[in-house]
Amino acid sequence: MSRIVGLDPGTVRIGVAVSDPLHLTAQPHGNLEGGDDLDDRLRQLADDTEAEVFVVGLPVSLDGREGPAAEAARRLAARVAEATGVPV
């Protein structure tokens, strides 16, 4: 069964959580380190988890404005979609 994979982008690592097959709960699934082979590791993650969709956390300020961290999260989301072919 397919799963939803959540990504929590940080400055050094990307936190990963994976849903159960019924999409009711999510459990921690470790971290991904940034680097030149990130695209390969994202593809492997998509294959290993049978990802149906990726969800990337979007950090915004308390007033709703997006800053540099949100821009980085949007870039990560585009990279995940391009690398894996899985909707984000």
Side-chain angles (χ1 to χ4, degrees):
M1 290 188 129
S2 61
R3 298 172 189 262
I4 298 170
V5 178
L7 301 177
D8 182 21
T11 55
V12 176
R13 291 174 198 83
I14 302 165
V16 180
V18 178
S19 76
D20 65 279
L22 297 177
H23 305 161
L24 298 176
T25 64
Q27 297 77 36
H29 192 76
N31 297 300
L32 295 174
E33 299 287 333
D36 294 338
D37 64 342
L38 180 59
D39 290 352
D40 292 334
R41 287 182 283 126
L42 288 166
R43 281 189 286 275
Q44 188 64 49
L45 177 64
D47 290 343
D48 291 348
T49 61
E50 299 179 11
E52 170 185 338
V53 65
F54 280 93
V55 177
V56 178
L58 183 65
V60 295
S61 64
L62 292 175
D63 65 2
R65 286 186 290 156
E66 294 184 14
E71 292 174 22
R74 289 187 184 280
R75 285 192 304 273
L76 174 63
R79 185 173 183 176
V80 171
E82 185 175 326
T84 66
V86 176
V88 178

